[in-house]
Amino acid sequence: METSRRVLLKGGLVAAGVTFLPGMTGPPLDFRPSAAAGTPRENPFALGVASGDPSPDGFVLWTRLAQLPLADDGQGGMGDAVRQVEWQVATDRRFRRVVRRGVVSTGPEIGHSVHLEPSGLEPDREYWYRFRVGRHLSPVGRTSTAPSPAVVPAALSVAFASCAQWEHGYFTAYRRMAEDQPDLVLHLGDYLYEYDPGFEPAKSGNVREHRGPETATLADYRRRHAQYKTDEDLQLLHRTAPWVAVFDDHEVTDNWAGDRPGSSTVGGPFDQRRGAALRAYWENMPLRRSAFPQGTGMTANRRFGWGQLATFHVLDTRQHRDPQACGPDAMGTCDETWVPERSILGAPQEAWLDAGLRESAATWDVLGQQVPFGRLELSPVEIGRLSMDSWDGYPSCRERVIGSLAQATNPVVLTGDVHDAFATEVWADHEDPDSVVVPELICTSVTSNGDGEDSPDGSYKWARTNPQVQFWNDLRGYVSLRFTPEVLTADYRSLPFVRAPGAPAFTRASFAVEAGSPRLHQTGALPLADL
C-alpha cells in the first residue's frame, strides 16, 4: 500500500460515475441528460476528486464539475445542462482490475457535484478511483475501506487539521500531511473562511485574496468552496486518503450558534444563509447522501469504526447548541453560563453520544470535534477569563459528557478551532493534577493567523493559569496520530512559515497515551534552537 501511495503523490489520470441522488424536499428533480450537454470545452475536473467516510464495504467518492471554478453564478461554468459522469473503482492504480463502474447524472441543482457510495467491497483494502466526462479524465484518487468490525488492526495512522484561511498563507501543511501517507484524514472545521477580501489581515501579512464578497448566498458559498478547491496542496491530500470532515463556524459565519448568526449581519435572514452554506458544504465535500441538508439543517454528527481498534464519534457543536452565554464574543462567565440545561450539543446528540460510548467495544473511543473541550484560561493572571464559544461556555453539558466518557475504556478528545497547538489533559478539578479524566489533543491551524511563534521549551504563554497544558505552540501545522492496541502516539507537526509555499514540516513535540490510563506522556521534543 505504501508504494502505491507514493506513486499517487506524483500524479495520475482519471475516469468515473453511478446514478443516485439524496432525498430532497420539494418537487423531484429532472436528471435526464440535457440535449445541449455536450463535452465541456475545458477540463471539468479543475476541483479535483475526493473520498470519505469509509466503511468496511465502501466509502464515498466525490467530484464536482467546474471548468470555470470562479464563475459568478457559482456553477463553475457548467451552465444549466445535466451531464453524465462515468466512474470506476479498481484494485490497482492502472485500472487493470476494475471492480465497480457506472454512470451518474449531475446538474445545477446540486452544483454539478457527484456523490457516490459504492458498496460490497472488501474490508481493509486499498482502492483507486477515477471519473470521466467525454474526453476529459479526472485525476486518480486513492482510498480504502475500513477493517471488519471483528478485526483488531495492528495500527491506524490519522492526520488531523483545521482552520485554513486562504488569504493568510499557503496550504503547504496539506501537502506534508499527504506525504506522511495517513490511513485517514480528519478535518475538524473551518475548511474555508467566509470573509470579504482583506477583512482579516494576518500578522505576517495576507499573501493571496478571496474572490467575491463575504459569502451569504448559495452562489457565494459555491464559489468560495471552488476557490479553495483549486489549491493543489489541498487537492493532493483529498486524493491521497479518505477524509472524515465536519464543519465549525466559518463554513457559515463566525461564531454562529443554532439559529443565531454570531457577530455577522450580512446576508439577510440567517436561516436562509445557514441553509445555503450547509448546502454548499455538502455539495463540495465527500459526504454521504444521508447528510444532504433538509431545510436549513443537515446531519453532521456520525460514528464510524476502525475494526475493534477505534471508534470515532464525530460531533456537531454548531447546529444544536444554545446561544453563547453573555454574548457570542464574551470572555468570562455570567449567570447564564451555569444554567444546567444549556448544551453545546443539544439533548438528542448528548444521548446519541452517551449511547455510543456505552455500547462501544473498541480499544480507543475518539471524539472528533471543533472547540476546546477542557478548561482553558485566556489570561496569564486572571482566573475565569474563558471563551463562551468553547465548552467553557457550557460547563453543565461538559460535565454530562465527562460522565459519558467514563463508560469508555480509553477515551481521547481531538479538537481544532483555536489556531494554536496544545497537548493538554482535562481535569475534573482544575486545581488537582490527579483528577485527569481524558487527554485532549488540539491541532493548530493550517494557515489562520499567518506565520506563528514558539516558546523555547513548548510551555504555554499563560502556563500559570493553565497547569493542565503540557505543550503549546503557535506555529502552523497539524497533528499526526498512530493508534495501536497498546498506545496512542501524537506527533505535533509544525511549519516554520506559511507566507511562502514549500515550507518543510518537522515534529515539534511527541506524546503518548497508554491504553488503560488517561495521562499524557511527552516522548520527544525539538529544542527551539534547532528549528
Side-chain angles (χ1 to χ4, degrees):
M1 291 176 65
E2 291 187 1
T3 299
S4 56
R5 282 191 237 182
R6 283 193 290 269
V7 171
L8 177 63
L9 294 175
K10 298 178 181 177
L13 285 178
V14 194
V18 116
T19 303
F20 54 62
L21 270 183
M24 298 181 181
T25 57
L29 303 177
D30 184 358
F31 266 74
R32 292 171 295 179
S34 304
T39 298
R41 186 170 186 175
E42 304 295 333
N43 172 28
F45 297 108
L47 306 183
V49 300
S51 69
D53 282 16
S55 67
D57 75 333
F59 33 68
V60 179
L61 300 181
W62 172 92
T63 192
R64 179 184 165 208
L65 304 183
Q67 57 182 346
L68 299 172
L70 303 184
D72 287 342
D73 65 358
Q75 294 290 359
M78 304 307 296
D80 295 329
V82 172
R83 288 182 169 82
Q84 291 189 325
V85 183
E86 298 175 69
W87 62 273
Q88 292 178 326
V89 175
T91 57
D92 66 295
R93 68 181 182 88
R94 296 184 182 276
F95 291 83
R96 293 190 178 107
R97 185 168 183 267
V98 174
V99 294
R100 295 288 186 278
R101 68 173 74 224
V103 179
V104 62
S105 295
T106 187
E109 290 87 350
I110 53 172
H112 301 278
S113 64
V114 173
H115 296 73
L116 309 174
E117 296 180 30
S119 60
L121 300 171
E122 296 180 36
D124 200 17
R125 177 69 186 261
E126 182 180 44
Y127 289 94
W128 302 81
Y129 62 95
R130 60 186 184 179
F131 302 86
R132 184 173 69 188
V133 174
R135 67 178 184 275
H136 298 290
L137 293 174
S138 78
V140 166
R142 177 214 160 264
T143 190
S144 64
T145 50
S148 166
V151 170
V152 182
L156 165 66
S157 62
V158 176
F160 77 95
S162 70
C163 304
Q165 218 282 26
W166 176 273
E167 298 187 316
H168 286 185
Y170 293 91
F171 293 168
T172 311
Y174 287 146
R175 180 167 293 272
R176 302 297 172 242
M177 291 169 74
E179 292 169 348
D180 288 349
Q181 302 178 16
D183 297 317
L184 187 71
V185 173
L186 295 181
H187 200 286
L188 299 180
D190 295 346
Y191 183 87
L192 55 70
Y193 281 67
E194 78 280 20
Y195 295 137
D196 275 320
F199 174 81
E200 183 186 47
K203 293 181 292 185
S204 52
N206 289 1
V207 300
R208 37 189 192 176
E209 187 173 272
H210 281 143
R211 281 285 299 273
E214 180 173 341
T215 52
T217 67
L218 181 56
D220 292 340
Y221 284 108
R222 284 171 168 170
R223 185 174 56 244
R224 187 62 56 85
H225 273 280
Q227 181 175 22
Y228 277 58
K229 280 287 201 306
T230 61
D231 185 272
E232 293 182 0
D233 296 335
L234 175 55
Q235 286 195 19
L236 174 63
L237 183 58
H238 268 303
R239 67 176 185 262
T240 297
W243 282 46
V244 174
V246 66
F247 51 80
D248 189 17
D249 56 339
H250 288 288
E251 289 88 349
V252 181
T253 184
D254 188 26
N255 284 352
W256 69 283
D259 59 0
R260 303 288 183 88
S263 56
S264 176
T265 58
V266 172
F270 179 64
D271 62 338
Q272 296 178 19
R273 183 178 183 182
R274 187 180 88 160
L278 297 181
R279 174 72 169 263
Y281 185 80
W282 181 88
E283 291 175 351
N284 284 276
M285 300 299 285
L287 298 172
R288 292 190 178 273
R289 289 170 287 169
S290 58
F292 184 82
Q294 301 293 327
T296 62
M298 65 181 287
T299 301
N301 63 294
R302 56 205 189 274
R303 183 178 293 115
F304 69 96
W306 203 263
Q308 293 187 18
L309 181 60
T311 295
F312 292 81
H313 311 264
V314 181
L315 305 184
D316 174 0
T317 61
R318 286 291 161 191
Q319 286 191 99
H320 311 294
R321 66 159 69 192
D322 290 301
Q324 295 93 339
C326 327
D329 301 315
M331 292 294 173
T333 63
C334 59
D335 290 345
E336 186 184 5
T337 307
W338 308 101
V339 173
E341 295 78 17
R342 284 176 43 78
S343 178
I344 196 172
L345 299 178
Q349 190 176 188
E350 284 190 38
W352 171 86
L353 177 59
D354 181 77
L357 291 168
R358 185 173 59 252
E359 297 166 4
S360 174
T363 301
W364 301 95
D365 278 288
V366 185
L367 270 60
Q369 57 94 49
Q370 298 79 5
V371 294
F373 181 75
R375 185 182 178 102
L376 190 62
E377 296 286 348
L378 300 176
S379 168
V381 294
E382 181 183 353
I383 300 298
R385 183 172 171 78
L386 306 169
S387 170
M388 294 297 96
D389 189 59
S390 75
W391 288 77
D392 279 331
Y394 304 83
S396 296
C397 178
R398 179 168 58 197
E399 288 303 309
R400 292 191 292 270
V401 171
I402 286 174
S404 297
L405 289 170
Q407 304 172 99
T409 306
N410 296 291
V412 60
V413 178
L414 307 181
T415 300
D417 181 65
V418 290
H419 309 170
D420 291 356
F422 292 87
T424 184
E425 296 173 337
V426 179
W427 296 357
D429 181 341
H430 192 59
E431 298 181 354
D432 182 3
D434 292 327
S435 64
V436 182
V437 293
V438 64
E440 182 175 11
L441 309 175
I442 304 177
C443 65
T444 185
S445 64
V446 171
T447 59
S448 299
N449 289 1
D451 291 350
E453 59 181 288
D454 206 345
S455 62
D457 59 358
S459 62
Y460 187 30
K461 57 184 177 181
W462 297 327
R464 180 173 175 269
T465 53
N466 290 279
Q468 78 285 2
V469 174
Q470 296 195 18
F471 169 76
W472 166 88
N473 84 5
D474 182 37
L475 296 175
R476 309 284 73 82
Y478 57 98
V479 179
S480 180
L481 306 174
R482 180 177 173 83
F483 295 87
T484 73
E486 297 77 31
V487 66
L488 162 63
T489 58
D491 292 333
Y492 284 78
R493 304 277 287 161
S494 299
L495 278 67
F497 59 86
V498 293
R499 66 184 181 278
F506 61 92
T507 299
R508 179 66 180 85
S510 298
F511 288 83
V513 181
E514 297 176 355
S517 170
R519 290 196 172 276
L520 279 171
H521 302 280
Q522 187 160 3
T523 58
L526 181 64
L528 187 61
D530 294 339
L531 299 184

